[in-house]
Amino acid sequence: MNPILQARNDMLGQMEQMRELSAAPIRPAAQIDGAVAEAGVGNAFEDALRAVDAQQHQASAAMAAVDSGQSDDLAGAMIESQKASVSFSALLQVRNKLSSAFDEIMSMPL
């Protein structure tokens, strides 16, 4: 299958999952997971960091496969590389926003 069509089908599948989730009633996180998960900005940022790292490793593996001749899917490797790049840029923007918010809170008078 064409990598662009595969990416489109993946995105359509994700959109369908989001539509199904949006139709479901909203439940607290403890009911979804079955256990109380630690909530917090630090844990959320760490999860996002791990997801971005996984995407970068996946893109690196795809590019290495193309470089070594194991794969001829250059378009797919470039798409993975762009996904990782966009994810990393978004993560940096979130980090910068969190940092500036922390600086503002710290500079507030008591």
Side-chain angles (χ1 to χ4, degrees), residues 44-92:
F45 192 76
E46 185 177 346
D47 291 344
L49 184 64
R50 290 187 193 282
V52 169
D53 183 52
Q55 277 188 329
Q56 287 184 336
H57 283 290
Q58 183 178 0
S60 177
M63 291 301 283
V66 169
D67 288 343
S68 66
Q70 295 175 352
S71 173
D72 60 349
D73 187 17
L74 179 61
M78 293 303 295
I79 289 171
E80 290 297 323
S81 177
Q82 287 299 314
K83 283 182 187 178
S85 177
V86 169
S87 296
F88 184 73
S89 296
L91 183 68
L92 282 179

